Amino acid sequence: MIISGANNLENNKSLVNSLNVFPVPDGDTGTNMSLTMNSAVKEINKSKELEVSAIADSVANGSLMGARGNSGVILSQIFRGFAKALKNVNEIDASALANALTEGSNTAYKAVMKPTEGTILTVIRESAEYGIKIAKNTPNATDFLGKVIEKADETLNRTPDMLPILKQAGVVDAGGKGLVYILKGMHQYLISENIIQLSEAMEEEPEQAAKPVYDDIIYGYCTEFFIKGKDLDPEEFKKKITEIGDSIVVVGDENLIKVHIHTNNPGVIIEKALQLGFLSKIKIDNMREQHEELLISEEDREENQEIKKYGVVAVAMGSGISSIFRDLGANEIIEGGQTMNPSTEDILKSVDRIRAENIIILPNNGNIILAANQAKSLSNKNIIVAPTKSIPQGISALMTLDQEKSPEDNEKKISKAIGDVKTGLITYAVRDSNFDGVDIEEGNFLGIMEGKIGAVGEELIEVIYKVMDAMVDEDASLITLYYGNDIGEEAASKLEQELMQRYPDCDVEMHYGGQPLYYYILSVE
């Protein structure tokens, strides 16, 4: 039943993905749920026990570790409830199925801090409630599940009436639709005793990105330090060192600047910095030597690695953004984000590789926070999940981290930093739709601010300006842009100059992000 349900979802995941509320190219609910089910199937296939309770445990464990995105985490909790209800059960009848659905619903609701009706949660709850009502009069499991699915379909079709945003988009809830496909696949096996076959090979779980290999290192020394002084100008110092290296990050204020640069002349950089103030926490690493050390086994390195006070796991999309997080001190980078949510297991593996008293996880996406919290609950390490919902929030949180402060103090500092950042995203529409009375045509440029569509247009620059004008207020002092892999350096540089003129009271920084699907990620602080 589980394998048939997983296959049915896999065959229909593109349709589930297309139910994305916003008409943007990052719908991934179907993919996340399918990969979560795929992980459950792999766990089943490893099991040598065929009892109902043993299989239910395998499904719970597999989906728990493979859970991706909010929909995948909720799905894993539904199956966790199934396993609770089916403990010591040898044969499933309608009553056992009704209890499993009920416990699945209860467990899923408990896992979400603020449950939203009109989602997968409503579909599983109303299906379970209906199942309890009809179980006595419908003892045959096949007939019972068929009737429950009819109820699930009916609830799913009402989700737009419960969530206005679904009605606006003209779609039903994607997570609920995915759950219905799973239930229908399970039912089809009961009817025919034939597993629904995959229309194509099942998608493999993406591996974590490999660590970079420096085959062609142009600048050999990774140089980091702080400049302390008065009337400092980060942007001015950045200009002075631009020609002497790459991977440059210069951030700070008039009293403190943090500098990171890859260069062949760290001494020259330090001399220029000394003209401005005194230096602290100077760190110079020979990257060519580090490359050689990659040949040393992970185990040997871990044995010799000192236990730090803090370690950081960051989720990042795009090679440029990954580099920025690494340069700012993140120990583990998980490649992922809007279109490739990491699993609970991915996050746990990264946590396990860090030797630190306290570990901070930066999900940098609202759809990854649940999986991060699930990883926290499965680890025996002291973990803080910072509720970062965007790349700019994650960068700001990491820059705020103070190695000398207590975890409680850092949690407060990070929370404040997250609240001080406004995020904008520039992408394109994948279908015609209407939002808040605004007609959106396929191919239009879209500006998204704080999770809402704020600008629509046929010209990229016009949409960028609309979003920036809405985000920049009298309190704004820093504008940062991360340009994606579809934007050239020349175009990004031109935009940077235009924004400097448009917002003269703000510092403007442009960085290569390399992110897919989003032309620009915008940040205002």
Side-chain angles (χ1 to χ4, degrees), residues 402-419:
D402 189 333
Q403 298 285 340
E404 308 302 320
K405 298 280 187 184
S406 70
E408 294 75 20
D409 286 343
N410 269 315
E411 201 162 2
K412 288 176 187 173
K413 283 167 65 70
I414 287 171
S415 179
K416 184 180 184 305
I418 291 171

Side-chain angles (χ1 to χ4, degrees), residues 249 312-333 362 364 388 390-398:
V249 178
V312 176
V313 176
V315 181
M317 57 175 180
S319 58
I321 289 169
S322 295
S323 294
I324 291 169
F325 273 108
R326 197 176 294 282
D327 292 342
L328 290 174
N331 306 81
E332 286 281 325
I333 308 294
L362 303 173
N364 302 331
T388 53
S390 68
I391 294 297
Q393 286 185 353
I395 290 171
S396 184
L398 184 50

Side-chain angles (χ1 to χ4, degrees), residues 82 96-106 124 127-128 131 144 148 183:
F82 265 57
L97 259 181
N99 290 334
L101 287 165
T102 301
E103 193 60 50
S105 172
N106 293 341
I124 186 64
S127 300
F144 170 84
V148 166
L183 294 175

Side-chain angles (χ1 to χ4, degrees), residues 83-329:
K84 284 184 201 171
L86 296 175
K87 198 171 186 65
N88 302 320
V89 172
N90 296 318
E91 188 172 306
I92 295 180
D93 56 12
S95 176
L97 259 181
N99 290 334
L101 287 165
T102 301
E103 193 60 50
S105 172
N106 293 341
T107 306
Y109 266 84
K110 286 175 189 171
V112 181
M113 192 173 293
K114 293 180 181 177
T116 301
E117 297 302 333
T119 64
I120 182 175
L121 290 170
T122 311
V123 176
I124 186 64
R125 177 177 58 75
E126 292 198 359
S127 300
E129 289 170 352
Y130 182 71
I132 290 293
K133 285 181 186 176
I134 67 167
K136 277 188 182 178
N137 297 325
T138 318
N140 179 276
T142 306
D143 295 341
F144 170 84
L145 188 54
K147 289 183 178 181
V148 166
I149 289 169
E150 286 178 11
K151 177 63 178 177
D153 257 332
E154 184 259 315
T155 303
L156 178 67
N157 290 330
R158 285 193 291 106
T159 55
D161 297 327
M162 301 179 216
L163 266 183
I165 197 164
L166 293 176
K167 180 163 270 190
Q168 266 197 0
V171 296
V172 296
D173 178 66
K177 185 72 169 177
L179 178 63
V180 169
Y181 275 127
I182 293 168
L183 294 175
K184 285 182 176 179
M186 295 167 79
H187 187 234
Q188 186 59 41
Y189 176 77
L190 288 181
I191 293 169
S192 65
E193 293 192 7
N194 290 315
I195 292 172
I196 290 177
Q197 296 302 303
L198 290 167
S199 55
E200 296 177 13
M202 186 175 273
E203 184 175 339
E204 286 294 318
E205 292 195 42
E207 295 292 326
Q208 270 199 56
K211 292 187 178 178
V213 178
Y214 301 99
D215 287 331
D216 185 21
I217 297 174
I218 299 172
Y219 296 104
Y221 295 95
C222 176
T223 306
E224 291 180 4
F225 54 84
F226 286 88
I227 308 172
K228 295 182 180 179
K230 291 183 179 178
D231 301 322
L232 300 177
D233 186 337
E235 195 59 36
E236 192 61 34
F237 183 70
K238 184 179 176 182
K239 290 176 185 173
K240 288 182 180 179
I241 63 174
T242 297
E243 302 300 321
I244 318 174
D246 65 6
S247 296
I248 300 168
V249 178
V250 179
V251 293
D253 54 30
E254 64 272 14
N255 299 313
L256 181 68
I257 298 177
K258 182 172 183 178
V259 179
H260 171 280
I261 184 170
H262 294 173
T263 181
N264 286 328
N265 301 291
V268 173
I269 305 292
I270 287 171
E271 281 180 21
K272 290 182 181 294
L274 283 168
Q275 294 170 11
L276 304 180
F278 65 92
L279 311 187
S280 68
K281 297 183 181 177
I282 299 171
K283 186 163 78 77
I284 301 173
D285 292 323
N286 184 328
M287 292 190 293
R288 294 183 179 92
E289 274 186 4
Q290 286 180 335
H291 174 46
E292 295 297 324
E293 287 169 7
L294 287 176
L295 301 174
I296 301 172
S297 70
E298 272 304 325
E299 291 79 8
D300 289 343
R301 284 217 305 277
E302 281 187 12
E303 283 177 15
N304 296 322
Q305 187 182 353
E306 65 171 312
I307 298 177
K308 298 177 181 178
K309 186 170 182 178
Y310 289 99
V312 176
V313 176
V315 181
M317 57 175 180
S319 58
I321 289 169
S322 295
S323 294
I324 291 169
F325 273 108
R326 197 176 294 282
D327 292 342
L328 290 174

Side-chain angles (χ1 to χ4, degrees), residues 501-513:
Q501 293 176 7
R502 192 177 181 93
Y503 308 106
D505 294 333
C506 293
D507 291 330
V508 179
E509 293 185 2
M510 180 74 72
H511 298 283
Y512 172 66

